[in-house]
Amino acid sequence: MDGFIDTLQFVLAPQVVNGLSIGVAVILMALGLTIIFGLLDVINMAHGEFYALGAYLGVSLAAAGVNFWLMLLLVPLIMAPVGYAFERMLIQRVFHHKDRHILTLLLTFGLAIIMEDLFKVFYGPQALTAETPIEGASEIAGMFFPNYRLFLMAIGAAIIVVVWLVVYRTSLGAMVRAAAFDKNMASSLGVPVSHVYAGTFAFGVALAALSGVLLAPVYSVFPTMGKDFILMAFSVVIVGGLGSIKGAVIAGLVLTQIQAIASLYMSPSWTDPLVFAIMVAVLMVRPQGLFGRLGHA
């Protein structure tokens, strides 16, 4: 009995907290992906690179002496206009083409390759480290948890709630959902659909960049970090349902917990294939994912 309690206290509980802290950051990325797809019907293959760009901006601002708390505000504010401009100048040029799904996929994939190479040019191929803004650990029920991990869980949960409130409890969110449900009807009612599209894309990019800032102190910052992390975010979006905010949150929490706990009993190199296997199983049973699309659920 004592052995079980020790395992629960010193092995399982820390992994659960680790899974939760990473889970909220994954959800922030997945929310950006799923909102962009739910409204624009565009799979943004460069989303991981926007996440990496947020982390690199955080490292640059920290080197310039910018406080971490100010950085959490500055990076999304910097990245939102970047996302807006990208959607207006590139996505919109192919958005109404008959093969727009393939064209936007190739366009964002090409952008991802370019951004990754630019990271290597400006920052070098080596991994950079970000200083942890909150040191130490806190004791909860006889267990010690890193303070920064607890902070990640708290701020991530707060941001998720704010995103939900904006989408489902504001007039801006109503316009977004109306445009996602029927863009022609929304346009006839005076909704500036093209600007809603660009603003939503910018919002998703800002969320990805914020995720990069938050996870930089946990992981090293390196050129291919976006490619590595985006696989989990895509799995979350696909399992939860493309375009579903509720699905992204639930799938993000479940999949990251499965990955965290499974790493105790198998090699970490097998945890990603396990998540992908779950994704495939869900698609076989329910191809549309667990929940509906933005504007429908």
Side-chain angles (χ1 to χ4, degrees):
M1 185 66 178
D2 291 340
F4 172 77
I5 294 176
D6 288 342
T7 299
L8 180 65
Q9 184 174 2
F10 299 110
V11 179
L12 188 60
Q15 281 297 99
V16 170
V17 171
N18 180 61
L20 286 173
S21 61
I22 301 303
V24 293
V26 171
I27 290 170
L28 292 182
M29 275 197 72
L31 282 178
L33 272 176
T34 202
I35 289 173
I36 289 171
F37 182 86
L39 180 60
L40 278 73
D41 204 19
V42 169
I43 298 177
N44 181 18
M45 297 298 293
H47 205 70
E49 277 60 42
F50 286 123
Y51 154 77
L53 181 55
Y56 274 115
L57 281 176
V59 170
S60 298
L61 290 173
V66 177
N67 183 277
F68 176 79
W69 310 108
L70 180 59
M71 193 189 307
L72 291 180
L73 295 175
L74 284 179
V75 170
L77 289 177
I78 293 171
M79 290 300 299
V82 173
Y84 189 95
F86 174 72
E87 199 281 337
R88 296 299 293 172
M89 292 188 297
L90 296 178
I91 295 293
Q92 277 297 319
R93 290 183 179 275
V94 299
F95 189 75
H96 300 289
H97 196 279
K98 63 177 181 178
D99 296 322
R100 70 183 182 89
H101 290 99
I102 295 176
L103 290 176
T104 52
L105 189 70
L106 293 175
L107 180 63
T108 55
F109 182 70
L111 177 68
I113 295 174
I114 293 171
M115 291 177 68
E116 184 179 316
D117 287 339
L118 288 176
F119 295 152
K120 295 175 183 177
V121 170
F122 287 103
Y123 293 96
Q126 71 280 0
L128 305 177
T129 56
E131 184 178 347
T132 303
I134 304 176
E135 301 285 352
S138 298
E139 182 180 0
I140 302 176
M143 296 170 282
F144 289 90
F145 302 103
N147 287 331
Y148 188 71
R149 298 273 182 168
L150 298 176
F151 165 74
L152 269 181
M153 292 165 55
I155 192 172
I159 294 170
I160 291 167
V161 170
V162 169
V163 171
W164 186 87
L165 289 174
V166 168
V167 172
Y168 290 104
R169 291 293 185 269
T170 66
S171 57
L172 178 61
M175 287 193 294
V176 170
R177 287 182 286 116
F181 185 78
D182 190 331
K183 65 179 181 180
N184 294 323
M185 177 192 70
S187 180
S188 67
L189 294 174
V191 175
V193 173
S194 62
H195 291 289
V196 170
Y197 281 174
T200 302
F201 194 92
F203 183 63
V205 166
L207 283 178
L210 181 59
S211 301
V213 176
L214 290 172
L215 283 180
V218 178
Y219 297 107
S220 298
V221 181
F222 51 96
T224 60
M225 63 182 294
K227 185 184 300 180
D228 296 341
F229 208 67
I230 195 64
L231 295 175
M232 173 58 83
F234 267 121
S235 299
V236 167
V237 171
I238 291 170
V239 170
L242 287 165
S244 171
I245 293 177
K246 177 172 66 175
V249 174
I250 294 175
L253 292 175
V254 171
L255 291 181
T256 51
Q257 279 302 314
I258 290 174
Q259 189 179 49
I261 295 174
S263 65
L264 296 173
Y265 304 101
M266 62 175 64
S267 170
S269 61
W270 284 100
T271 56
D272 283 344
L274 175 62
V275 170
F276 300 148
I278 294 172
M279 179 186 70
V280 171
V282 170
L283 289 176
M284 291 175 64
V285 176
R286 191 174 172 83
Q288 70 271 34
L290 298 177
F291 300 94
R293 291 172 57 108
L294 185 68
H296 296 262

